[in-house]
Amino acid sequence: MVKTDAQATDERMMRRCFALATQSAEQGEYPYGAVIARNGRIVAETTNQVAHDRDVTRHAEVVAICEAQKTLGSTDLADCTIYANVEPCAFCCYAIRESRIAKVVYSMRSPIMGGASRWNILGDRTLSDAMPEVFAPPPVLVAEFLSEEGAATLRRSSPLAWAFMRARGLLVTPSRHHAGGDHAHTGATRRARGFGGRAKWIMRVLRKNVFDRFGRGGAARRKKR
């Protein structure tokens, strides 16, 4: 199959997201990366900044939107596409809708926190119907794009975070055994309920090696030293 220019661009931008997610993990952040592009050129690219800034609002997608708006000198990103290695959460998706981004591409689905899989913020027409001056119609959505490659990258770059997110059902990669949001969400909930009894030990490891790295409680501990 011959790739279109759009497909080739999407692949290039998504692979840049994977590289940013790896960089984010190496910096002690959640392993997330985001890219905003216009006409095939990168306008903004960011890692997660929660731990660095001690600010839970500094998700990669939101930071990228802030940077893109500064670069373009406008809050309107209607001619832009945003790429993320993991489905944006509800918080990020609301920012995507208000910034009027035209297209959203993500690799791995997040049935517990996703702003498309669980809360259909990206596809909600009520926002644009009620306030067209603020919200554009729902963006074009390309879900689970290069998902196997994205999963492999995340597993290599942040194995503990990967184990936790998979065990809790926070990430879902495509499977022949469950297709569709409802089935995936049910399976994720089932895994989350069984996780505590089967592997409590991993939580101790994660608290020590993952959560504290991501800005949870780190400031308080430093003050005591």
Side-chain angles (χ1 to χ4, degrees):
M1 178 183 290
V2 178
K3 294 179 184 177
T4 65
D5 289 344
Q7 288 173 323
T9 296
D10 286 349
E11 288 188 10
R12 179 164 55 89
M13 296 301 173
M14 184 56 70
R15 290 190 173 112
R16 181 56 188 156
C17 279
F18 298 158
L20 289 166
T22 298
Q23 179 183 330
S24 189
E26 291 170 350
Q27 294 171 345
E29 297 280 355
Y30 289 110
Y32 304 139
V35 170
I36 293 179
R38 182 175 68 168
N39 298 326
R41 296 190 175 185
I42 293 176
V43 175
E45 59 174 35
T46 61
T47 61
N48 215 64
Q49 296 292 318
V50 171
H52 179 270
D53 294 345
R54 297 288 167 185
D55 182 346
V56 297
T57 70
R58 301 290 283 169
H59 293 194
E61 297 92 330
V62 171
V63 177
I65 289 170
C66 291
E67 293 300 319
Q69 290 177 149
K70 290 177 184 176
T71 298
L72 298 176
S74 174
T75 60
D76 189 340
L77 304 180
D79 53 354
C80 293
T81 298
I82 188 167
Y83 300 85
N85 66 308
V86 175
E87 179 182 348
C89 69
F91 167 62
C92 294
C93 286
Y94 189 89
I96 289 169
R97 290 299 304 273
E98 190 161 357
S99 63
R100 305 173 72 85
I101 287 173
K103 180 179 174 182
V104 180
V105 185
Y106 64 82
S107 179
M108 286 171 285
R109 193 158 51 85
S110 180
I112 302 298
M113 296 186 294
S117 294
R118 183 170 184 186
W119 295 287
N120 190 25
I121 296 169
L122 291 180
D124 181 13
R125 290 191 171 274
T126 304
L127 288 169
S128 51
D129 289 347
M131 293 181 287
E133 303 83 2
V134 177
F135 299 99
V140 173
L141 181 62
V142 181
E144 297 182 310
F145 185 71
L146 299 182
S147 57
E148 291 184 5
E149 187 174 332
T153 301
L154 183 57
R155 188 166 56 246
R156 285 194 307 269
S157 65
S158 193
L160 284 174
W162 165 262
F164 170 75
M165 288 188 282
R166 288 284 292 170
R168 285 292 177 92
L170 302 180
L171 292 178
V172 171
T173 51
S175 170
R176 292 173 300 175
H177 303 296
H178 61 265
D182 291 341
H183 294 298
H185 189 202
T186 301
T189 303
R190 219 177 269 130
R191 285 194 298 276
R193 287 172 181 166
F195 175 75
R198 290 198 308 271
K200 289 183 179 179
W201 62 270
I202 200 172
M203 290 302 296
R204 292 195 294 270
V205 175
L206 287 165
R207 287 190 188 102
K208 181 178 180 181
N209 296 292
V210 179
F211 299 147
D212 292 345
R213 288 173 58 212
F214 297 148
R216 298 293 187 260
R221 286 197 310 282
R222 282 198 299 274
K223 289 179 180 178
K224 291 179 181 179
R225 290 178 180 174

